[in-house]
Amino acid sequence: MSERTATVTRETAETTIECTLEVDGTGAAMVDTGIGFFDHMLTSFAKHGLFDLEIECDGDLEIDDHHTVEDVAIVLGEAFDEALGDRAGIVRYADRKVPLDEAVAETVVDVSGRPRFYFDGAFSQESIGGFTSDMARHFGESLSMNAGLTLHLAVDGENAHHEVEALFKALARSMDDATRIDERREGTPSTKGTL
């Protein structure tokens, strides 16, 4: 199997980001976004998805966390899109349900090349440290638009930390499942012959 890796950079007036992704990794992560809880979530995403991930972001946190979280999701989505190439041989579809104490999160993904995003649920608290809870939903949306995913997310619980963490872990597991190579498959997993 050829290496499925990508390095993507993005520089705007709001953020400067460099991201390196290895899809077939070991879960190693080096992440620095300036938002401690977001770093924790991205590290958890890498660990549970077995992706090797390096992200460095310098964002306008003096305003708020929106641009940093959104732009990191954009760059990570672009990295997945580039690393997966024509998506030949991948499983393509996956779903996962992950609990964290009282919270449970569910993800359903199609690595389809057709970006769509759906979300069901609400976060129990408005923020977690310097991270606005609803940015977890926006992260999923921005990732799906830039990675070419049809992505459905759902969450339920009583503690926003648990809800968001369960969501990132469920997303990691479903992305790992969907992007795996199926040795039985030849070519792209579509009757059209392309994704």
Side-chain angles (χ1 to χ4, degrees):
M1 179 173 54
S2 62
E3 286 190 8
R4 299 190 297 168
T5 64
T7 297
V8 177
T9 59
R10 175 182 171 94
E11 187 168 350
T12 71
E14 298 167 342
T15 59
T16 300
I17 303 171
E18 183 165 344
C19 171
T20 299
L21 169 71
E22 183 173 344
V23 174
D24 306 299
T26 62
M30 290 192 304
V31 178
D32 183 8
T33 66
I35 306 168
F37 182 75
F38 189 37
D39 291 352
H40 177 45
M41 292 303 95
L42 292 167
T43 299
S44 183
F45 176 81
K47 181 76 169 178
H48 292 280
L50 294 172
F51 306 121
D52 288 350
L53 182 62
E54 294 180 23
I55 297 177
E56 188 166 352
C57 176
D58 180 17
D60 57 359
L61 296 178
E62 71 279 3
I63 296 174
D64 66 11
D65 59 335
H66 186 106
H67 298 144
T68 292
V69 176
E70 177 180 57
D71 289 4
V72 165
I74 289 169
V75 169
L76 182 58
E78 290 173 349
F80 268 108
D81 188 46
E82 181 180 327
L84 294 173
D86 66 2
R87 294 159 166 75
I90 65 168
V91 172
R92 180 177 167 178
Y93 304 100
D95 64 285
R96 284 290 180 138
K97 200 170 200 175
V98 171
L100 181 57
D101 296 347
E102 90 299 340
V104 65
E106 185 173 7
T107 63
V108 181
V109 64
D110 176 6
V111 186
S112 62
R114 294 187 309 278
R116 298 292 298 269
F117 178 76
Y118 304 91
F119 181 82
D120 185 34
F123 299 104
S124 296
Q125 289 81 39
E126 186 176 319
S127 63
I128 309 150
F131 182 88
T132 306
S133 300
D134 190 60
M135 288 308 299
R137 177 198 56 78
H138 191 52
F139 176 89
E141 181 177 21
S142 298
L143 180 74
S144 70
M145 294 300 122
N146 290 277
L149 311 174
T150 299
L151 180 61
H152 295 250
L153 302 180
V155 67
D156 185 45
E158 299 172 1
N159 179 287
H161 185 131
H162 296 164
E163 293 157 1
V164 172
E165 188 167 343
L167 198 59
F168 271 81
K169 288 177 177 177
L171 179 59
R173 296 302 307 129
S174 61
M175 284 296 291
D176 179 45
D177 292 343
T179 59
R180 283 188 192 167
I181 297 295
D182 184 341
E183 298 297 338
R184 301 169 299 166
R185 185 179 303 284
E186 291 184 18
T188 304
S190 170
T191 55
K192 295 190 295 291
T194 186
L195 287 176

